[in-house]
Amino acid sequence: MSIDWSELYRTTFPELVRFLHRKVWDPDQARDLAQEAFVRALRDPPERPRAWLFRVAANLARDEARTALRRKRHLTLLVTEAHVTREVAPTPSEEMDRARHRERLRTALASLSERDREVLLLKEAGLSYTEIAEETGLAAGAVGTTLARARRRLKDAYEAGHEEENDAARG
Amino acid sequence: MRHVDDGALHAWLDGEMEVYPADEARWIREHLATCSACAERLEDARALREEAVAILSGDDVELENLPSLEELRAQARGSGAGHEPVVGGGGDAGPVRGSRGRRRSRQLAWAASIVLAAGAGWMANALLPPGGPSGLQYLPPPGLDAPAQRQPAEFRSVAFPDGEEEDGEASGAGASALEEGGEGVEPSAPSTSTENAELPTVGPSPDRARSVTPPEQEVVGLASEAALATEAEKLAAPVADTGVTLPAALVSELSDVVEARRSAPTEPEVEPAPEMERIVAQADVVAAVPEGVIPGLPVLSVEAVPAPGEGWWVRQRMESGVEVDVFLLPSSTPPSELPAPADGVNQWVERRGDGWRVLRGRLPVEVLQALAEGR
């Protein structure tokens, strides 16, 4: 099967970066991993490149997350008095809102099961139910059910985070 | 009366009705046109879907400075086979974009520092008499002369040269602490005390944790840093990655060795080779635990899949004592090629990355599914 690489790049690469960003939460890293996945596809063209790209990207992100977790554990051993005193430089209010949203989203996504999160992000990245089923091993008919649950849980967790922030602000 | 389920409502909203058989899809359409309750639920589902999309789209990553397709093609042509990252790796891989090379260097340094620290602790406990004569002895690596002026080696984080230094950033523990949002670690003179030789501590005391080797002592015994870092990552990765509990036998054996050394009334023999070899062999078993095992459950054995021989067969034990077999299969080996489960043994099959994961045990399928999903 001949692959239209220009079309694939145009329609998939930005979505791949977005997808990865919601997994690693680092724009540079997301771009690097998307690049790595795409280069692998160019080197050894897969049969169904779009689904393949997201599968490889998910695996790369998982590896990165494990490495990050390992480093975090090491820090737990090595820095036992880690007082978190991160200073937040003054930023425009829009930037602050965005940072708050990102943190809430990150927490909300983390509260989902791995499968729910994967299905949600793959759908958001534009994959069809059939492609999501192929990627996750779910039956295509079960994707909608998983998606319905994931959307509900994301909304609930996001709103819960918002309420917690408001409670904290009120003291 | 039968109603449309939530999954079908979302499939309808996502324009994915083709995943249903034609008859089912037709029934859903007709039902939604006639059932007011389901029509109302459809509106709720629509609102939920839009809210979820809004939540997700509110955090859009900057998509500037993406590499062009031509750049990617150039990298694909320039990179060799295998699965090493092609970005940040330099060499013939084309223009380096991003910072994965530096990151990886730092990660390796961390892995190496942990294994060095843990190894130093074990070695200190195993080889030195209780209390120690006057602190730990510095053991130079092969090829390096013993430093005359250095402080005695101690149980601490070893700072490695870090790729970040060229950018003027801090390195080692300080840099990583800052990265994690922690407080920076101020350099201070290294402690020479030896009270750290206590099990089960695998790491420095709080005070020691905040000390970093001064710059002039940072490169301590790094003749084979790259090889050491590689080995360190190999050893540290499986346990840290999977959350697998170390085999009790290994922990017990290590403790026995240490206790025997401690209680020895005289100078210990300087021939730990057989014991160390056995420990290293055990560590190799731990290092062989593949990805995909169930986190938190002890690993009893790791073997190649009996037939057709491709993939891993990992046996784990739950707290209740029930054993669970985890088969990690490549995509070329579908689960149907495994031997059929015995009577009373259920299984849960799922696609995982480029292959399959099969869980088997004398447990309800729901429990196996929950284990697979990490619940």
Side-chain angles (χ1 to χ4, degrees), chain A residues 9 22 64 71 73 78 129, chain B residues 14 56 67 100 179 209 240:
Chain A
Y9 173 83
R22 287 168 186 146
E64 287 291 330
R71 286 174 52 215
R73 285 178 183 163
L78 293 169
Y129 279 23
Chain B
D14 289 329
L56 285 167
R100 284 171 58 75
E179 255 192 25

Side-chain angles (χ1 to χ4, degrees), chain B residues 283-337:
Chain B
D284 285 344
V285 172
V286 175
V289 174
E291 292 181 15
V293 297
I294 303 167
L297 298 189
V299 173
L300 303 181
S301 63
V302 181
E303 297 177 27
V305 170
E310 287 187 49
W312 291 99
W313 170 23
V314 183
R315 176 156 288 177
Q316 296 185 258
R317 186 173 56 216
M318 301 179 67
E319 274 185 29
S320 61
V322 176
E323 293 178 352
V324 180
D325 288 331
V326 182
F327 296 91
L328 303 163
L329 307 173
S331 56
S332 57
T333 305
S336 57
E337 292 192 18

Side-chain angles (χ1 to χ4, degrees), chain B residues 6 21 62 89 96 100 173 177 186 196 227 250 257 265 299 301 312 343:
Chain B
D6 285 346
E62 294 285 339
V96 174
R100 284 171 58 75
E186 295 296 327
N196 47 10
L250 174 57
V257 171
V299 173
S301 63
W312 291 99
D343 287 345

Side-chain angles (χ1 to χ4, degrees), chain B residues 6-369:
Chain B
D6 285 346
L9 293 177
H10 282 255
W12 170 273
L13 293 168
D14 289 329
E16 296 276 0
M17 291 310 288
E18 68 268 20
V19 299
Y20 291 97
D23 290 352
E24 181 75 2
R26 192 182 318 113
W27 178 84
I28 292 170
R29 284 191 201 95
E30 290 172 0
H31 184 84
L32 286 175
T34 57
C35 175
S36 58
C38 284
E40 194 173 323
R41 287 175 53 233
L42 181 65
E43 289 313 304
D44 290 344
R46 190 192 309 277
L48 171 62
R49 177 176 176 272
E50 286 171 2
E51 282 178 278
V53 169
I55 290 170
L56 285 167
S57 62
D59 179 54
D60 218 359
V61 62
E62 294 285 339
L63 291 176
E64 296 171 357
N65 301 321
L66 294 182
S68 67
L69 178 59
E70 287 66 36
E71 283 179 281
L72 297 176
R73 279 184 163 139
Q75 290 201 5
R77 281 194 299 271
S79 58
H83 297 289
E84 274 302 298
V86 293
V87 285
D92 294 328
V96 174
R97 184 180 289 274
S99 54
R100 284 171 58 75
R102 287 204 305 273
R103 249 182 236 123
R104 183 161 179 81
S105 162
R106 192 169 55 218
Q107 290 158 3
L108 287 172
W110 269 107
S113 67
I114 283 299
V115 171
L116 269 184
W122 286 343
M123 288 293 290
N125 280 288
L127 298 178
L128 293 177
S134 59
L136 306 181
Q137 299 301 307
Y138 177 78
L139 298 174
L144 284 186
D145 293 330
Q149 301 302 322
R150 287 197 176 101
Q151 297 286 342
E154 60 172 327
F155 195 13
R156 69 183 178 213
S157 168
V158 177
F160 289 100
D162 192 306
E164 295 289 344
E165 285 182 340
E166 65 192 28
D167 297 335
E169 296 176 24
S171 66
S176 297
L178 287 168
E179 255 192 25
E180 295 291 338
E183 196 174 63
V185 180
E186 295 296 327
S188 62
S191 164
T192 57
S193 63
T194 58
E195 73 280 4
N196 47 10
E198 287 284 328
L199 276 182
T201 305
V202 182
S205 65
D207 287 341
R208 198 176 310 281
R210 299 174 63 77
S211 75
V212 173
T213 312
E216 65 270 20
Q217 293 191 348
E218 281 191 349
V219 183
V220 179
L222 297 179
S224 57
E225 179 198 336
L228 176 61
T230 303
E231 287 305 308
E233 179 145 270
K234 277 184 194 168
L235 285 171
V239 176
D241 280 354
T242 62
V244 170
T245 307
L246 281 171
L250 174 57
V251 174
S252 169
E253 189 153 25
L254 286 168
S255 302
D256 289 345
V257 171
V258 172
E259 280 306 312
R261 291 300 183 195
R262 277 186 171 174
S263 57
T266 58
E267 285 288 310
E269 297 172 12
V270 192
E271 284 188 1
E275 285 152 351
M276 290 307 293
E277 278 177 10
R278 195 163 63 249
I279 290 169
V280 169
Q282 295 262 21
D284 285 344
V285 172
V286 175
V289 174
E291 292 181 15
V293 297
I294 303 167
L297 298 189
V299 173
L300 303 181
S301 63
V302 181
E303 297 177 27
V305 170
E310 287 187 49
W312 291 99
W313 170 23
V314 183
R315 176 156 288 177
Q316 296 185 258
R317 186 173 56 216
M318 301 179 67
E319 274 185 29
S320 61
V322 176
E323 293 178 352
V324 180
D325 288 331
V326 182
F327 296 91
L328 303 163
L329 307 173
S331 56
S332 57
T333 305
S336 57
E337 292 192 18
L338 288 174
D343 287 345
V345 174
N346 287 317
Q347 73 173 8
W348 174 258
V349 179
E350 63 179 10
R351 286 298 299 271
R352 177 181 170 275
D354 291 332
W356 304 88
R357 182 162 77 155
V358 179
L359 273 60
R360 285 183 180 177
R362 294 185 184 281
L363 295 161
V365 174
E366 294 75 22
V367 174
L368 292 171
Q369 180 185 3

